[in-house]
Amino acid sequence: MSGDEAGTAREEVIESMERSAEVYGLSRSAGRVYGVLYFAAEPLSIPELVEETGYAKSTISNVTRRLTRIGLIRRRSSGGGGRRVRFEPEADLWFVVRDVFQQHVAREMGTTRRTLDRSLSRLDDEDTTTRARIEALAATYDEFETLLELAMDHSVTELIDAIEAYEDD
Amino acid sequence: MSGDEAGTAREEVIESMERSAEVYGLSRSAGRVYGVLYFAAEPLSIPELVEETGYAKSTISNVTRRLTRIGLIRRRSSGGGGRRVRFEPEADLWFVVRDVFQQHVAREMGTTRRTLDRSLSRLDDEDTTTRARIEALAATYDEFETLLELAMDHSVTELIDAIEAYEDD
DNA sequence: CTGTTTGTTCGGCTCATTCCGAACAACCAG
DNA sequence: CTGGTTGTTCGGAATGAGCCGAACAAACAG
């Protein structure tokens, strides 16, 4: 079993995931659940996650739902038709980033953009300064939206290649 | 004064900023303070922000510090040597995004990356599966880091151009 | 049908965040 | 030095998030 180096290394990485989770607006428990699943040999059920993480069953239930919505883990309505549900990690983190952007950032930008248009249509032609400020904001949002849409259609390596090619005129 | 359309439009946009602030992990008050500054004709002091936003002086003090750290607003140690401090909005939101990425995301990636290396060096050669998982994670992080470093060196329009040029082979 | 296992939902508890008012420190005017 | 203004800091109340245990629903085994 080669000592416990694998265990401590695993634990260090999982603790790091807990901290990272907080940076990105998730809970510690979410980071740990993802970490345990990331190192697990096979998909785990809720009782197994309770055993591995030490969290209560209800916590695991809520956290797994949250992570599934975000796309960081997947439910496998595991064969056999049993009620048992198993979770496995999404290994390709770029998928996750893409989903988060599309679910939250794109959504926020869409609603904000609509508000800006509605406010603009309500304005007289004489409110030049207010109109100019809102139009500037709308232009910025449009730029961001097109950039995000473009970026979300490509892999990380493709994006790196694109920028590097651009830098070499 | 062209009715109150400018006022209501302004208010709508500021309320939208409050909601957006929450999406990006800031408080409502932060969104409103930025919004008021964004529409103000000139930099505002703390008492003026108290008057315009309705928040308490202490709240404004804390929120302005927070927003200044993030880079969403700037302090102008306004001329005259007076104690009065004035704040103005950072209009170029791409600057803000860039700063946030460099301060938080890049930092998180750096520490995580170091943890991964430390964990790897602690591992025996026999822990192949654990080692493989951590190495995969490290590779993903390296990719993200190079992409972010590249992206942060360019403007939004440059990035859009780069990707569009890449798409046209 | 009864008992067991799995997963969700509900009501609390605790802790962090947000905001306020009050006290305090710094600066200027007279 | 005294009074007024500006900005920061401190304690406290209200709100929300994370987590737990218990109750509940659903599926299967016998």
Side-chain angles (χ1 to χ4, degrees), chain B residues 6-141:
Chain B
T8 54
R10 223 188 56 134
E11 176 62 21
E12 265 184 4
V13 173
I14 291 179
E15 280 173 13
S16 173
M17 285 178 174
E18 288 180 340
R19 289 189 288 267
S20 299
E22 285 190 317
V23 172
Y24 297 114
L26 296 173
S27 57
R28 279 188 127 63
S29 54
R32 176 156 293 270
V33 166
Y34 179 81
V36 166
L37 287 176
Y38 185 79
F39 284 107
E42 49 185 8
L44 298 182
S45 65
I46 288 190
E48 288 166 330
L49 283 171
V50 169
E51 169 67 24
E52 295 288 327
T53 65
Y55 284 106
K57 203 172 42 161
S58 56
T59 303
I60 299 296
S61 176
N62 291 319
V63 167
T64 49
R65 183 172 46 210
R66 178 98 192 269
L67 288 176
T68 304
R69 279 183 184 262
I70 295 174
L72 264 165
I73 66 178
R74 277 194 301 261
R75 294 179 72 114
R76 299 203 30 177
S77 20
S78 78
R83 180 158 166 72
R84 199 176 205 130
V85 179
R86 296 179 178 280
F87 296 92
E88 64 183 2
E90 170 58 65
D92 189 339
L93 292 184
W94 179 242
F95 276 8
V96 181
V97 173
R98 204 201 51 193
D99 282 6
V100 167
F101 268 94
Q102 287 177 350
Q103 285 176 25
H104 293 85
V105 179
R107 183 180 159 76
E108 183 275 332
M109 289 192 170
T111 61
T112 298
R113 194 61 187 71
R114 248 170 287 138
T115 302
L116 295 180
D117 268 335
R118 200 150 35 87
S119 299
L120 281 173
S121 69
R122 192 194 307 278
L123 278 178
D124 289 350
D125 289 338
E126 297 120 31
D127 302 318
T128 53
T129 67
T130 302
R131 171 174 290 275
R133 302 269 163 96
I134 300 181
E135 279 172 349
L137 208 56
T140 306
Y141 263 75

Side-chain angles (χ1 to χ4, degrees), chain A residues 13-165:
Chain A
V13 173
I14 292 179
E15 280 174 15
S16 174
M17 286 178 174
E18 288 180 341
R19 289 188 289 266
S20 299
E22 284 190 317
V23 172
Y24 297 114
L26 296 173
S27 57
R28 279 187 131 63
S29 54
R32 175 155 294 268
V33 165
Y34 179 81
V36 167
L37 287 176
Y38 185 79
F39 284 106
E42 49 185 8
L44 298 183
S45 65
I46 288 189
E48 289 166 331
L49 283 172
V50 169
E51 170 67 22
E52 294 288 327
T53 64
Y55 283 106
K57 203 171 44 159
S58 55
T59 303
I60 299 296
S61 176
N62 290 320
V63 167
T64 49
R65 182 172 47 210
R66 178 97 191 271
L67 287 176
T68 304
R69 278 182 185 262
I70 295 174
L72 264 165
I73 66 178
R74 277 194 300 263
R75 294 179 72 115
R76 299 203 31 176
S77 20
S78 79
R83 182 159 165 69
R84 199 176 205 132
V85 179
R86 297 179 176 280
F87 295 93
E88 64 184 1
E90 170 59 64
D92 189 340
L93 291 183
W94 179 242
F95 276 9
V96 181
V97 172
R98 202 200 52 191
D99 282 6
V100 167
F101 268 94
Q102 287 177 350
Q103 285 176 25
H104 293 85
V105 180
R107 184 179 156 77
E108 184 274 332
M109 289 192 170
T111 61
T112 298
R113 193 61 186 73
R114 248 170 286 138
T115 302
L116 295 180
D117 268 335
R118 200 149 37 86
S119 299
L120 281 172
S121 69
R122 192 195 306 280
L123 279 177
D124 289 351
D125 290 337
E126 298 120 31
D127 302 318
T128 53
T129 68
T130 301
R131 171 174 290 274
R133 301 270 162 95
I134 299 181
E135 278 172 350
L137 208 56
T140 305
Y141 262 75
D142 286 343
E143 269 194 347
F144 282 160
E145 267 186 311
T146 53
L147 174 58
L148 283 180
E149 282 171 10
L150 282 173
M152 295 302 110
D153 280 344
H154 297 279
S155 68
V156 177
T157 52
E158 282 173 341
L159 293 173
I160 292 175
D161 286 352
I163 301 177
E164 281 177 344

